[in-house]
Amino acid sequence: VMYHRDRSVVYLVLWNGRTNRDKCDVESVKRRSKHLMMSTRDDIIRLYAPFIRDSPPWSLSEVIKTLFTSTLLLPTRMLTLGLFLVLLFLFSSLSLFCDYITDTHTLVAQEAKMPFVIIMATLLKKGIHVCIRLLIRAGIFISFGVLSIRTISSRHSIDEVEVVPDMPRPALYVANHLGWLEILVLLSQFGCTFVAHKYIKDIPCVGSVARALGVVFVGQGESSSETVKQRILETYDCIIKLLQLEANPFSELHTRNCPTCRKCYPPVVIFPEGTTTNGLGMLTFRTGAFVSSVPVSPVCLRFASSQHFNASWETILFSHHLLRTMTQVHNNMQLILMPPIKVAKDPSREEARQARYFADMVQLTMSDCMLSHWGLSTPTSGGKQEEALRLSMNEASRTAAERVPATVRGGDPTFPVWKLNRKHKMLFHQWVLGKKTDEELISEYRSLLASDNSLMSSLIGSFDLSP
């Protein structure tokens, strides 16, 4: 429990008080907890429930199991993880080399009308990507104990969306975001790519894998909407071409655009919440993924083995989270995969309003699906925090249902959704580290919410702007 004593407050005593990193012993935190106002604590739980660390408390059996797995299981998993990273780096480098060969010979091949080099490089790259997917699946199985990935196919939808039945592979997946582990799971399941920050390119090994998989990089402060929109449209056009080729394999399209276009892009996975949560609910979706208006395939995620440790990553140090994840005997995940859906375009809506409406309807579909398959998630924290979380979830579910028009929902309960963004999460982290007072946390919550037009224009989500 005291593995990182100097920072243990971040994940051990979240609601027993706060202190800074210089005075972070548990006893001082317990002394300060006596002065924490109950009403203020309840307000913070109600407002920031998706970011609260919701994991079962330590028990004697869990301590013994962790000591045992740390001695026997952890070293083996660390060694295999290093081996998998080396293999991924080699395969990624070979994939990037195929890209270089293709770029070098594209003009010559087109002039000579002999795209043989491009065809071979493209086929080799596809084979390498299959190997990368297999390596990732083996890596999360051996190194992280993801023994089971249960995928449920669901055709759940609401009246406002239209299912697109003739798309064998979607161009865009949207999913709720729990942490970093589901990224590897989705990679192994769908062979997809993601949107990531530019600094990822500079991380050893990870940067090479990201470039080889065609990750869409965006910079700090840059508007990613246009970049992501362009990539999604290119992927969608590629899928349409493949459908045309299947319908007429002897058309000119085969020799003119495939494979010399080199746009055999994998589908894009976007987490429209913009940050991670504890899995008890969702955050209101951002609209960047929906500007292109192409059909999207929703994916609902949850960790099915959270009775000992919740593998979501929201308010916990990465080093501690990685250690706990790798010392669990198993970490199982469940996925609900829905077919591509779209909404009808309304000429009276401008692009931003259409994207907002599309995002709301997709989130409402996912909310209904998660509620029908899994029901309301049950908090696992002990004592008063568990009860406060449960009350907050019920309130968020009721408020979301009341704000959605009756023509859409009819007042039925929904999976809890909070009107929060990534800035709220950073603010909450500062409060956990003792850099913000209770009053600052609540007042800045309101100012951040009022200044976010995307959140305020959404029909879905619980919020509080009362003074």
Side-chain angles (χ1 to χ4, degrees), residues 53-109:
R53 183 66 191 158
D54 179 56
S55 191
W58 285 89
S59 61
L60 180 60
S61 60
E62 184 67 15
V63 172
I64 295 174
K65 185 198 73 175
T66 302
L67 291 175
F68 179 78
T69 54
S70 299
T71 305
L72 300 179
L73 193 59
L74 182 61
T76 304
R77 286 183 169 178
M78 292 295 292
L79 288 175
T80 55
L81 179 61
L83 176 61
F84 283 123
L85 288 176
V86 171
L87 292 176
L88 283 174
F89 176 75
L90 295 177
F91 279 107
S92 301
S93 301
L94 186 57
S95 177
L96 294 175
F97 180 72
C98 290
D99 286 341
Y100 170 77
I101 293 296
T102 307
D103 291 336
T104 304
H105 290 80
T106 296
L107 183 60
V108 177

Short mmCIF file of all heavy atoms in Angstrom, two decimals, residues 53-109:
data_model
loop_
_atom_site.label_atom_id
_atom_site.label_comp_id
_atom_site.label_asym_id
_atom_site.label_seq_id
_atom_site.Cartn_x
_atom_site.Cartn_y
_atom_site.Cartn_z
N ARG A 53 -11.50 7.94 -8.02
CA ARG A 53 -10.93 6.60 -8.07
C ARG A 53 -11.88 5.63 -7.41
O ARG A 53 -12.08 5.66 -6.19
CB ARG A 53 -9.56 6.58 -7.38
CG ARG A 53 -8.86 5.23 -7.46
CD ARG A 53 -8.49 4.89 -8.86
NE ARG A 53 -8.06 3.51 -9.00
CZ ARG A 53 -8.08 2.84 -10.12
NH1 ARG A 53 -8.54 3.42 -11.22
NH2 ARG A 53 -7.66 1.60 -10.20
N ASP A 54 -12.49 4.76 -8.21
CA ASP A 54 -13.47 3.80 -7.70
C ASP A 54 -12.88 2.40 -7.84
O ASP A 54 -13.06 1.73 -8.85
CB ASP A 54 -14.79 3.91 -8.48
CG ASP A 54 -15.81 2.91 -7.98
OD1 ASP A 54 -16.11 2.91 -6.78
OD2 ASP A 54 -16.29 2.10 -8.80
N SER A 55 -12.16 1.99 -6.82
CA SER A 55 -11.54 0.66 -6.83
C SER A 55 -11.74 0.04 -5.45
O SER A 55 -11.76 0.76 -4.44
CB SER A 55 -10.05 0.77 -7.15
OG SER A 55 -9.48 -0.49 -7.41
N PRO A 56 -11.92 -1.27 -5.38
CA PRO A 56 -12.14 -1.91 -4.08
C PRO A 56 -11.00 -1.61 -3.12
O PRO A 56 -9.83 -1.54 -3.52
CB PRO A 56 -12.21 -3.40 -4.42
CG PRO A 56 -12.58 -3.46 -5.86
CD PRO A 56 -11.96 -2.24 -6.49
N PRO A 57 -11.31 -1.45 -1.84
CA PRO A 57 -10.24 -1.19 -0.86
C PRO A 57 -9.34 -2.41 -0.69
O PRO A 57 -9.73 -3.53 -1.00
CB PRO A 57 -11.02 -0.88 0.43
CG PRO A 57 -12.34 -1.55 0.25
CD PRO A 57 -12.65 -1.48 -1.22
N TRP A 58 -8.14 -2.13 -0.20
CA TRP A 58 -7.20 -3.22 0.04
C TRP A 58 -7.74 -4.18 1.10
O TRP A 58 -8.26 -3.76 2.12
CB TRP A 58 -5.85 -2.67 0.49
CG TRP A 58 -5.04 -2.06 -0.60
CD1 TRP A 58 -5.07 -0.77 -1.02
CD2 TRP A 58 -4.05 -2.72 -1.39
NE1 TRP A 58 -4.17 -0.57 -2.03
CE2 TRP A 58 -3.53 -1.75 -2.28
CE3 TRP A 58 -3.56 -4.01 -1.43
CZ2 TRP A 58 -2.53 -2.05 -3.20
CZ3 TRP A 58 -2.57 -4.31 -2.35
CH2 TRP A 58 -2.07 -3.35 -3.23
N SER A 59 -7.59 -5.44 0.82
CA SER A 59 -7.93 -6.48 1.80
C SER A 59 -6.68 -7.32 2.05
O SER A 59 -5.69 -7.24 1.30
CB SER A 59 -9.07 -7.37 1.29
OG SER A 59 -8.70 -8.04 0.10
N LEU A 60 -6.73 -8.14 3.10
CA LEU A 60 -5.58 -8.98 3.41
C LEU A 60 -5.28 -9.94 2.27
O LEU A 60 -4.11 -10.14 1.90
CB LEU A 60 -5.84 -9.75 4.71
CG LEU A 60 -4.72 -10.69 5.17
CD1 LEU A 60 -3.44 -9.90 5.42
CD2 LEU A 60 -5.14 -11.46 6.42
N SER A 61 -6.31 -10.52 1.69
CA SER A 61 -6.09 -11.45 0.58
C SER A 61 -5.49 -10.75 -0.62
O SER A 61 -4.63 -11.30 -1.32
CB SER A 61 -7.41 -12.12 0.19
OG SER A 61 -8.36 -11.16 -0.21
N GLU A 62 -5.90 -9.48 -0.87
CA GLU A 62 -5.36 -8.74 -2.01
C GLU A 62 -3.89 -8.39 -1.78
O GLU A 62 -3.08 -8.43 -2.71
CB GLU A 62 -6.18 -7.47 -2.24
CG GLU A 62 -5.78 -6.66 -3.46
CD GLU A 62 -6.04 -7.36 -4.77
OE1 GLU A 62 -6.79 -8.37 -4.79
OE2 GLU A 62 -5.47 -6.93 -5.80
N VAL A 63 -3.54 -8.04 -0.55
CA VAL A 63 -2.14 -7.74 -0.23
C VAL A 63 -1.28 -8.99 -0.43
O VAL A 63 -0.19 -8.93 -1.03
CB VAL A 63 -2.02 -7.22 1.22
CG1 VAL A 63 -0.55 -7.09 1.61
CG2 VAL A 63 -2.73 -5.88 1.35
N ILE A 64 -1.74 -10.13 0.06
CA ILE A 64 -0.98 -11.38 -0.09
C ILE A 64 -0.85 -11.74 -1.56
O ILE A 64 0.24 -12.13 -2.03
CB ILE A 64 -1.66 -12.52 0.70
CG1 ILE A 64 -1.62 -12.21 2.19
CG2 ILE A 64 -1.00 -13.85 0.41
CD1 ILE A 64 -2.40 -13.20 3.05
N LYS A 65 -1.94 -11.60 -2.31
CA LYS A 65 -1.89 -11.91 -3.74
C LYS A 65 -0.92 -11.00 -4.48
O LYS A 65 -0.15 -11.44 -5.34
CB LYS A 65 -3.29 -11.79 -4.34
CG LYS A 65 -3.36 -12.21 -5.80
CD LYS A 65 -4.61 -11.69 -6.48
CE LYS A 65 -4.48 -10.20 -6.74
NZ LYS A 65 -5.63 -9.66 -7.51
N THR A 66 -0.94 -9.69 -4.14
CA THR A 66 -0.05 -8.75 -4.81
C THR A 66 1.41 -9.05 -4.51
O THR A 66 2.28 -8.98 -5.39
CB THR A 66 -0.39 -7.31 -4.39
OG1 THR A 66 -1.77 -7.05 -4.70
CG2 THR A 66 0.48 -6.30 -5.11
N LEU A 67 1.71 -9.39 -3.24
CA LEU A 67 3.09 -9.76 -2.89
C LEU A 67 3.53 -11.02 -3.64
O LEU A 67 4.67 -11.11 -4.13
CB LEU A 67 3.20 -9.98 -1.38
CG LEU A 67 3.05 -8.74 -0.50
CD1 LEU A 67 3.05 -9.13 0.97
CD2 LEU A 67 4.16 -7.74 -0.79
N PHE A 68 2.64 -11.97 -3.75
CA PHE A 68 2.96 -13.22 -4.44
C PHE A 68 3.19 -12.98 -5.94
O PHE A 68 4.19 -13.44 -6.51
CB PHE A 68 1.83 -14.22 -4.23
CG PHE A 68 2.05 -15.54 -4.92
CD1 PHE A 68 2.91 -16.48 -4.39
CD2 PHE A 68 1.39 -15.83 -6.11
CE1 PHE A 68 3.12 -17.70 -5.03
CE2 PHE A 68 1.59 -17.04 -6.75
CZ PHE A 68 2.45 -17.98 -6.22
N THR A 69 2.28 -12.25 -6.58
CA THR A 69 2.42 -12.00 -8.02
C THR A 69 3.60 -11.07 -8.31
O THR A 69 4.22 -11.17 -9.37
CB THR A 69 1.12 -11.41 -8.59
OG1 THR A 69 0.75 -10.24 -7.82
CG2 THR A 69 0.01 -12.43 -8.55
N SER A 70 3.90 -10.14 -7.38
CA SER A 70 5.05 -9.25 -7.59
C SER A 70 6.36 -10.03 -7.57
O SER A 70 7.33 -9.66 -8.23
CB SER A 70 5.08 -8.17 -6.51
OG SER A 70 3.92 -7.37 -6.57
N THR A 71 6.39 -11.12 -6.80
CA THR A 71 7.61 -11.91 -6.70
C THR A 71 7.77 -12.88 -7.86
O THR A 71 8.86 -13.02 -8.41
CB THR A 71 7.61 -12.69 -5.37
OG1 THR A 71 7.44 -11.78 -4.28
CG2 THR A 71 8.91 -13.45 -5.19
N LEU A 72 6.68 -13.52 -8.26
CA LEU A 72 6.77 -14.58 -9.27
C LEU A 72 6.29 -14.15 -10.65
O LEU A 72 6.93 -14.45 -11.66
CB LEU A 72 5.96 -15.81 -8.80
CG LEU A 72 6.38 -16.44 -7.48
CD1 LEU A 72 5.48 -17.61 -7.14
CD2 LEU A 72 7.84 -16.88 -7.55
N LEU A 73 5.17 -13.44 -10.70
CA LEU A 73 4.55 -13.13 -11.98
C LEU A 73 5.09 -11.87 -12.63
O LEU A 73 5.30 -11.82 -13.84
CB LEU A 73 3.03 -13.00 -11.79
CG LEU A 73 2.16 -12.99 -13.05
CD1 LEU A 73 2.35 -14.27 -13.85
CD2 LEU A 73 0.70 -12.81 -12.66
N LEU A 74 5.34 -10.84 -11.83
CA LEU A 74 5.75 -9.54 -12.38
C LEU A 74 7.06 -9.61 -13.15
O LEU A 74 7.15 -9.05 -14.26
CB LEU A 74 5.83 -8.51 -11.24
CG LEU A 74 6.20 -7.09 -11.68
CD1 LEU A 74 5.18 -6.52 -12.65
CD2 LEU A 74 6.33 -6.18 -10.45
N PRO A 75 8.14 -10.25 -12.64
CA PRO A 75 9.38 -10.29 -13.42
C PRO A 75 9.20 -10.94 -14.79
O PRO A 75 9.76 -10.47 -15.79
CB PRO A 75 10.33 -11.10 -12.52
CG PRO A 75 9.79 -10.94 -11.16
CD PRO A 75 8.31 -10.88 -11.32
N THR A 76 8.44 -12.03 -14.84
CA THR A 76 8.20 -12.69 -16.13
C THR A 76 7.45 -11.78 -17.09
O THR A 76 7.80 -11.69 -18.28
CB THR A 76 7.41 -13.99 -15.90
OG1 THR A 76 8.10 -14.82 -14.98
CG2 THR A 76 7.20 -14.73 -17.21
N ARG A 77 6.44 -11.09 -16.58
CA ARG A 77 5.67 -10.20 -17.44
C ARG A 77 6.51 -9.02 -17.91
O ARG A 77 6.34 -8.56 -19.05
CB ARG A 77 4.42 -9.72 -16.70
CG ARG A 77 3.35 -10.80 -16.58
CD ARG A 77 2.10 -10.30 -15.89
NE ARG A 77 1.01 -11.26 -16.02
CZ ARG A 77 -0.19 -11.10 -15.47
NH1 ARG A 77 -0.45 -10.01 -14.74
NH2 ARG A 77 -1.13 -12.02 -15.64
N MET A 78 7.37 -8.51 -17.07
CA MET A 78 8.23 -7.40 -17.49
C MET A 78 9.19 -7.83 -18.60
O MET A 78 9.41 -7.10 -19.56
CB MET A 78 9.01 -6.86 -16.29
CG MET A 78 8.15 -6.17 -15.24
SD MET A 78 7.39 -4.65 -15.86
CE MET A 78 8.83 -3.61 -16.05
N LEU A 79 9.76 -9.03 -18.46
CA LEU A 79 10.67 -9.53 -19.50
C LEU A 79 9.94 -9.75 -20.81
O LEU A 79 10.44 -9.37 -21.89
CB LEU A 79 11.32 -10.83 -19.02
CG LEU A 79 12.37 -10.70 -17.91
CD1 LEU A 79 12.83 -12.08 -17.46
CD2 LEU A 79 13.56 -9.88 -18.40
N THR A 80 8.76 -10.35 -20.76
CA THR A 80 8.01 -10.58 -22.00
C THR A 80 7.55 -9.26 -22.61
O THR A 80 7.51 -9.12 -23.83
CB THR A 80 6.79 -11.47 -21.73
OG1 THR A 80 5.99 -10.89 -20.69
CG2 THR A 80 7.24 -12.86 -21.31
N LEU A 81 7.21 -8.28 -21.77
CA LEU A 81 6.84 -6.96 -22.29
C LEU A 81 8.00 -6.33 -23.05
O LEU A 81 7.81 -5.77 -24.14
CB LEU A 81 6.39 -6.05 -21.15
CG LEU A 81 5.99 -4.62 -21.53
CD1 LEU A 81 4.81 -4.63 -22.50
CD2 LEU A 81 5.65 -3.81 -20.29
N GLY A 82 9.22 -6.42 -22.50
CA GLY A 82 10.38 -5.90 -23.21
C GLY A 82 10.62 -6.61 -24.53
O GLY A 82 10.94 -5.98 -25.54
N LEU A 83 10.42 -7.93 -24.54
CA LEU A 83 10.58 -8.68 -25.79
C LEU A 83 9.55 -8.26 -26.82
O LEU A 83 9.88 -8.06 -28.00
CB LEU A 83 10.46 -10.18 -25.49
CG LEU A 83 10.50 -11.12 -26.71
CD1 LEU A 83 11.83 -10.99 -27.44
CD2 LEU A 83 10.25 -12.56 -26.28
N PHE A 84 8.30 -8.10 -26.42
CA PHE A 84 7.26 -7.67 -27.35
C PHE A 84 7.54 -6.28 -27.90
O PHE A 84 7.28 -6.00 -29.08
CB PHE A 84 5.89 -7.71 -26.67
CG PHE A 84 5.33 -9.09 -26.52
CD1 PHE A 84 4.97 -9.59 -25.28
CD2 PHE A 84 5.16 -9.91 -27.63
CE1 PHE A 84 4.45 -10.86 -25.14
CE2 PHE A 84 4.64 -11.20 -27.51
CZ PHE A 84 4.29 -11.67 -26.26
N LEU A 85 8.06 -5.38 -27.06
CA LEU A 85 8.37 -4.03 -27.53
C LEU A 85 9.47 -4.06 -28.58
O LEU A 85 9.41 -3.32 -29.58
CB LEU A 85 8.78 -3.15 -26.35
CG LEU A 85 7.66 -2.74 -25.39
CD1 LEU A 85 8.23 -1.96 -24.22
CD2 LEU A 85 6.60 -1.93 -26.11
N VAL A 86 10.47 -4.91 -28.38
CA VAL A 86 11.54 -5.03 -29.38
C VAL A 86 10.99 -5.56 -30.70
O VAL A 86 11.30 -5.03 -31.79
CB VAL A 86 12.67 -5.94 -28.85
CG1 VAL A 86 13.68 -6.25 -29.95
CG2 VAL A 86 13.36 -5.28 -27.66
N LEU A 87 10.15 -6.58 -30.63
CA LEU A 87 9.56 -7.13 -31.86
C LEU A 87 8.66 -6.12 -32.55
O LEU A 87 8.67 -6.00 -33.79
CB LEU A 87 8.78 -8.40 -31.53
CG LEU A 87 9.61 -9.61 -31.07
CD1 LEU A 87 8.70 -10.77 -30.66
CD2 LEU A 87 10.58 -10.05 -32.17
N LEU A 88 7.88 -5.38 -31.77
CA LEU A 88 7.03 -4.35 -32.37
C LEU A 88 7.85 -3.27 -33.05
O LEU A 88 7.49 -2.78 -34.12
CB LEU A 88 6.14 -3.72 -31.29
CG LEU A 88 4.93 -4.52 -30.83
CD1 LEU A 88 4.25 -3.84 -29.66
CD2 LEU A 88 3.95 -4.70 -31.98
N PHE A 89 8.98 -2.91 -32.44
CA PHE A 89 9.85 -1.90 -33.06
C PHE A 89 10.41 -2.41 -34.39
O PHE A 89 10.46 -1.67 -35.38
CB PHE A 89 10.99 -1.56 -32.10
CG PHE A 89 11.99 -0.61 -32.68
CD1 PHE A 89 11.70 0.74 -32.81
CD2 PHE A 89 13.24 -1.07 -33.11
CE1 PHE A 89 12.64 1.61 -33.36
CE2 PHE A 89 14.17 -0.21 -33.65
CZ PHE A 89 13.87 1.14 -33.77
N LEU A 90 10.81 -3.67 -34.44
CA LEU A 90 11.35 -4.23 -35.68
C LEU A 90 10.29 -4.28 -36.78
O LEU A 90 10.54 -3.88 -37.92
CB LEU A 90 11.92 -5.63 -35.41
CG LEU A 90 13.13 -5.70 -34.49
CD1 LEU A 90 13.54 -7.15 -34.25
CD2 LEU A 90 14.30 -4.91 -35.06
N PHE A 91 9.11 -4.76 -36.45
CA PHE A 91 8.04 -4.82 -37.45
C PHE A 91 7.61 -3.42 -37.89
O PHE A 91 7.33 -3.19 -39.07
CB PHE A 91 6.83 -5.59 -36.89
CG PHE A 91 6.97 -7.07 -36.97
CD1 PHE A 91 7.20 -7.83 -35.85
CD2 PHE A 91 6.87 -7.72 -38.20
CE1 PHE A 91 7.33 -9.21 -35.93
CE2 PHE A 91 7.00 -9.10 -38.30
CZ PHE A 91 7.23 -9.85 -37.15
N SER A 92 7.58 -2.48 -36.97
CA SER A 92 7.20 -1.12 -37.33
C SER A 92 8.25 -0.48 -38.23
O SER A 92 7.90 0.23 -39.19
CB SER A 92 7.02 -0.28 -36.06
OG SER A 92 6.04 -0.83 -35.22
N SER A 93 9.51 -0.72 -37.94
CA SER A 93 10.57 -0.18 -38.80
C SER A 93 10.47 -0.76 -40.21
O SER A 93 10.65 -0.05 -41.20
CB SER A 93 11.94 -0.49 -38.20
OG SER A 93 12.07 0.07 -36.91
N LEU A 94 10.16 -2.04 -40.30
CA LEU A 94 9.99 -2.65 -41.62
C LEU A 94 8.78 -2.07 -42.35
O LEU A 94 8.84 -1.84 -43.56
CB LEU A 94 9.83 -4.17 -41.45
CG LEU A 94 9.78 -5.00 -42.74
CD1 LEU A 94 11.02 -4.77 -43.58
CD2 LEU A 94 9.61 -6.48 -42.42
N SER A 95 7.71 -1.78 -41.63
CA SER A 95 6.54 -1.16 -42.24
C SER A 95 6.87 0.24 -42.74
O SER A 95 6.46 0.64 -43.85
CB SER A 95 5.39 -1.10 -41.23
OG SER A 95 4.28 -0.44 -41.77
N LEU A 96 7.61 1.00 -41.97
CA LEU A 96 8.02 2.34 -42.41
C LEU A 96 8.95 2.27 -43.62
O LEU A 96 8.91 3.14 -44.50
CB LEU A 96 8.69 3.09 -41.25
CG LEU A 96 7.79 3.42 -40.05
CD1 LEU A 96 8.61 4.04 -38.92
CD2 LEU A 96 6.67 4.36 -40.46
N PHE A 97 9.78 1.24 -43.67
CA PHE A 97 10.65 1.05 -44.83
C PHE A 97 9.82 0.77 -46.08
O PHE A 97 10.15 1.23 -47.18
CB PHE A 97 11.63 -0.08 -44.57
CG PHE A 97 12.57 -0.35 -45.71
CD1 PHE A 97 13.59 0.53 -46.00
CD2 PHE A 97 12.43 -1.49 -46.50
CE1 PHE A 97 14.46 0.29 -47.06
CE2 PHE A 97 13.28 -1.74 -47.54
CZ PHE A 97 14.30 -0.85 -47.83
N CYS A 98 8.74 0.00 -45.92
CA CYS A 98 7.83 -0.25 -47.06
C CYS A 98 7.22 1.06 -47.55
O CYS A 98 7.06 1.27 -48.76
CB CYS A 98 6.74 -1.23 -46.65
SG CYS A 98 7.31 -2.92 -46.39
N ASP A 99 6.87 1.93 -46.63
CA ASP A 99 6.35 3.25 -47.02
C ASP A 99 7.39 4.03 -47.82
O ASP A 99 7.07 4.68 -48.82
CB ASP A 99 5.94 4.05 -45.79
CG ASP A 99 4.65 3.53 -45.17
OD1 ASP A 99 3.90 2.82 -45.88
OD2 ASP A 99 4.39 3.83 -44.00
N TYR A 100 8.64 3.96 -47.36
CA TYR A 100 9.71 4.68 -48.07
C TYR A 100 9.90 4.12 -49.47
O TYR A 100 10.03 4.88 -50.44
CB TYR A 100 11.00 4.56 -47.26
CG TYR A 100 12.22 5.06 -48.00
CD1 TYR A 100 12.46 6.42 -48.14
CD2 TYR A 100 13.12 4.15 -48.56
CE1 TYR A 100 13.58 6.87 -48.83
CE2 TYR A 100 14.23 4.60 -49.25
CZ TYR A 100 14.46 5.96 -49.38
OH TYR A 100 15.56 6.40 -50.07
N ILE A 101 9.91 2.80 -49.60
CA ILE A 101 10.06 2.17 -50.92
C ILE A 101 8.92 2.58 -51.84
O ILE A 101 9.11 2.90 -53.02
CB ILE A 101 10.13 0.64 -50.78
CG1 ILE A 101 11.42 0.24 -50.06
CG2 ILE A 101 10.06 -0.03 -52.15
CD1 ILE A 101 12.68 0.59 -50.80
N THR A 102 7.71 2.58 -51.31
CA THR A 102 6.54 2.94 -52.11
C THR A 102 6.62 4.39 -52.56
O THR A 102 6.35 4.71 -53.72
CB THR A 102 5.26 2.70 -51.32
OG1 THR A 102 5.26 1.36 -50.83
CG2 THR A 102 4.03 2.91 -52.19
N ASP A 103 6.99 5.29 -51.66
CA ASP A 103 7.12 6.70 -52.03
C ASP A 103 8.19 6.91 -53.08
O ASP A 103 8.04 7.72 -54.00
CB ASP A 103 7.45 7.54 -50.79
CG ASP A 103 6.29 7.60 -49.82
OD1 ASP A 103 5.15 7.40 -50.27
OD2 ASP A 103 6.53 7.82 -48.62
N THR A 104 9.29 6.17 -52.99
CA THR A 104 10.40 6.33 -53.93
C THR A 104 10.04 5.86 -55.32
O THR A 104 10.43 6.45 -56.33
CB THR A 104 11.64 5.57 -53.42
OG1 THR A 104 11.96 6.01 -52.10
CG2 THR A 104 12.82 5.79 -54.34
N HIS A 105 9.26 4.77 -55.41
CA HIS A 105 9.00 4.14 -56.71
C HIS A 105 7.64 4.49 -57.30
O HIS A 105 7.29 4.00 -58.36
CB HIS A 105 9.09 2.61 -56.58
CG HIS A 105 10.49 2.13 -56.35
ND1 HIS A 105 11.08 2.16 -55.10
CD2 HIS A 105 11.42 1.61 -57.19
CE1 HIS A 105 12.31 1.67 -55.18
NE2 HIS A 105 12.54 1.32 -56.43
N THR A 106 6.87 5.33 -56.61
CA THR A 106 5.53 5.63 -57.11
C THR A 106 5.57 6.27 -58.49
O THR A 106 4.91 5.85 -59.43
CB THR A 106 4.78 6.54 -56.13
OG1 THR A 106 4.59 5.85 -54.91
CG2 THR A 106 3.43 6.96 -56.70
N LEU A 107 6.39 7.33 -58.66
CA LEU A 107 6.44 8.05 -59.93
C LEU A 107 6.99 7.17 -61.04
O LEU A 107 6.45 7.11 -62.15
CB LEU A 107 7.30 9.31 -59.78
CG LEU A 107 7.39 10.21 -61.02
CD1 LEU A 107 6.01 10.69 -61.44
CD2 LEU A 107 8.31 11.38 -60.76
N VAL A 108 8.07 6.41 -60.76
CA VAL A 108 8.66 5.55 -61.78
C VAL A 108 7.67 4.46 -62.19
O VAL A 108 7.50 4.15 -63.37
CB VAL A 108 9.96 4.92 -61.24
CG1 VAL A 108 10.54 3.95 -62.27
CG2 VAL A 108 10.97 6.01 -60.90
N ALA A 109 6.99 3.88 -61.20
CA ALA A 109 6.05 2.81 -61.50
C ALA A 109 4.88 3.32 -62.33
O ALA A 109 4.42 2.65 -63.25
CB ALA A 109 5.53 2.19 -60.21
#
